[in-house]
Amino acid sequence: MQGSKGIENPAFVPSSPDTSRRTSASPSHVEVSAVASRNPNGDSQPLESGDPQKSSEPSLPAPTPPASDEPPGAQLSELEEGPCGWRDFHPRCLQHCNTPQGFLLHYCLLALTQGIVVNGLVNISISTIEKRYEMKSSLTGLISSSYDISFCVLSLFVSFFGERGHKPRWLAFASFMIGLGALVFSLPHFFSGRYELGSVFEDTCLATRNSTGCALSTSLLSNYLYVFILGQLFLGTGGTPLYTLGTAFIDDSVPTHKSSLYIGIGYSMSVLGPAIGYVLGGQLLKMYIDIAIGKSSDVTEDDPRWLGAWWIGFLLVWLFAWSLIIPFSCFPKYLPGTAKIQADKTSQTHQNNSTSSQHIDENFGKSIKDFPTAVKNLMRNTVFICLVLSTTSEALVTTGFATFLPKFIENQFGLTSSFAATLGGAVLIPGAALGQILGGVLVSKFKMKCKNTMKFALFTSGVALMMSFVFIYAKCENGPFAGVSESYNGTGELGNLTAPCNSNCNCLRSYYYPLCGSDGVQYFSPCFAGCLNSVSDRKPKVYYNCSCIERKLEITSTAESIDFEARAGKCKTRCTNLPIFLGIFFITVIFTFMAGTPITVSILRCVNQRQRSLALGVQFLLLRLLGTIPGPIIFGVIIDSTCSLWDINECGVKGACWIYDNIRMAHMLVAITVTCKIITMFFNGLAIVLYKPPPPGAEVSFQSQTVVVSTISVEEDLNKAENEG
């Protein structure tokens, strides 16, 4: 029997053994895909097959199946599994993209765009925004967290109402909001006027220095804070449908064993996005901020007053994100073949007391009144809660390292902040992307069921736990630092940067410009080294006549040590463990992120089919509340506890930490990493123990906005049909 749109209608199936097998069910109107159904007492009863009119009207699940008053054609019209286009305009060329691969391509582009702007351009532009708009770090921290705040507020509602909606159009809305957020974020540059250069700061020893004193300056420029926050809120609004509804749509459109591969590829693009954002932003910061006016002749990139063109990247993202609105808007509600794919899937939903007694209402989810009940049903799923808690613990440690790994590398191995950030990105980004893809490929290749997928995630987390102890091996002792771990030629006190040799230089402790003396000791700045002269045209900059640097006449070293007494930059470290550390940590990152895609797939499998988007919404909500938001804060507090020398300004206010205790930092990072990994493995293992798969042969319940497909065992169908015959 054919429906009005040419889709097979299996509502009428002859009750003979030859034909009692599973048929392809349309998700728009099919309620029963077998010839047997259960009554409230649990007995199997054959369907009547003599009356086509009667059998074409689907019966709803027990215990109280409401009668359907709508004709089959009305229910069939709900299905929007159709061509790619708009209304009656369906160009032939667009149909090549009307496939899971075509949708995945556009999903990857949007995930890449979101990663570029949110985790790339915003992060690399924060320090420039601080200087340009005279903001404190606490205020720019509020800018960064605004994205997560928006995501948390909207994730549950978007995932709940979007589950029954047109998911590709929701992603078109996401493209619009991401582009709008990027545009709004760049607006302060166009309304704040031209950047005015300040006076050149003299870093050498001066008998008299202009002192600003303790004055709390207020500037109208800081009011642009609210514009930046608004931009981040828009970006968070756009990111919400991307990772909830977009993931669920991919899972709808591909067979079960391919879902993990597609999701892994999509998530890997969100990991590669920040890498592209950092590279793009880094190159744009080499251009002067007022690009239309041109670079000032008396300022270079090495000048502390230099500010780069941070805003250009956001305009590029705005244009690219809005270019994705049209492709997403032309996708149908369901891709062609979705009905057949869903009919072939078998349910892996976790079975508990609440699932067995749940009554399926065809109108459930259409009203805001159903929202609390839907969330309550999810919270009763113990396996789902365990999996979510395992991901939050993992997110806490991964976001912490994403924020502070460059700082660890910089301090442990004596590198510049820019080179340390480059190395950190070179390890984290490819490792995370490779781990996401490998996890998806392996789950797809071996066609793992829900329980085996969770076991695979537990194994990869265990390997990552064992390799986390690399931080103890990589620890490096601090080099000699004047005033911190080394005295000024036997004068002065440890913990005090001021000594007799620089007491008349009027040095500022808030100006940190590390200097390596010819004696192998590192100094806080040229001023604290007592240097009177410098030559800036050499790279690196060199200094002479430094009263605090001991002159060793017996040294017959290279001409470099004879030419000057100190050079700009940190002293070279004696620690040689960097290559081994990066290699082992790279493998650790791969195994850590290999669990990401399997856990997401497990969450999609262990919950009811109609609650997958909401389940992802709950996951990302808790992921941010318990993981990504507190993660950098906890890591920051722990790393700050290892500080040896703080920045204290003229007002006596403590600022950033200049010097850390390397050994203690390594031990603290191992402690928090191992703790989080153990929590992750505990909840993952608990989910495996608690998981109860459905009876063999049970099919997935797939529904459109008005209908539920619920079937029973094929073997039971055959037995009942034979008994009846």
Side-chain angles (χ1 to χ4, degrees), residues 2-57:
Q2 300 291 325
S4 60
K5 288 190 179 180
I7 298 176
E8 185 178 359
N9 185 353
F12 171 71
V13 183
S15 59
S16 67
D18 296 331
T19 57
S20 14
R21 61 182 62 185
R22 184 167 54 188
T23 57
S24 299
S26 167
S28 65
H29 61 288
V30 179
E31 178 67 31
V32 180
S33 64
V35 296
S37 63
R38 289 188 179 275
N39 62 20
N41 298 324
D43 300 322
S44 298
Q45 294 180 341
L47 293 175
E48 294 295 328
S49 60
D51 188 359
Q53 288 284 45
K54 193 172 185 178
S55 62
S56 63
E57 188 170 318

Side-chain angles (χ1 to χ4, degrees), residues 396-413 423-424 427-428 463-477 575 577-590 592 635 638-639 661-677:
L396 188 147
V397 71
T398 52
T399 54
F401 273 116
T403 306
F404 291 103
L405 180 64
K407 183 183 289 289
F408 174 81
I409 296 176
E410 174 187 353
N411 287 276
Q412 291 287 332
F413 303 104
L423 288 179
V427 171
L428 281 174
V463 175
L465 170 64
M466 299 307 297
M467 302 188 74
S468 298
F469 291 94
V470 66
F471 289 99
I472 294 181
Y473 172 77
K475 64 184 179 182
C476 298
E477 294 185 359
C575 190
N577 298 332
L578 179 60
I580 299 176
F581 166 76
L582 292 178
I584 298 178
F585 190 75
F586 179 72
I587 300 174
T588 306
V589 173
I590 291 177
T592 297
F635 265 73
I638 289 176
I639 289 179
D661 184 336
N662 289 350
I663 302 297
R664 191 179 177 194
M665 179 190 288
H667 289 165
M668 295 295 284
L669 287 180
V670 169
I672 188 174
T673 303
V674 171
T675 301
C676 290
K677 290 289 184 183

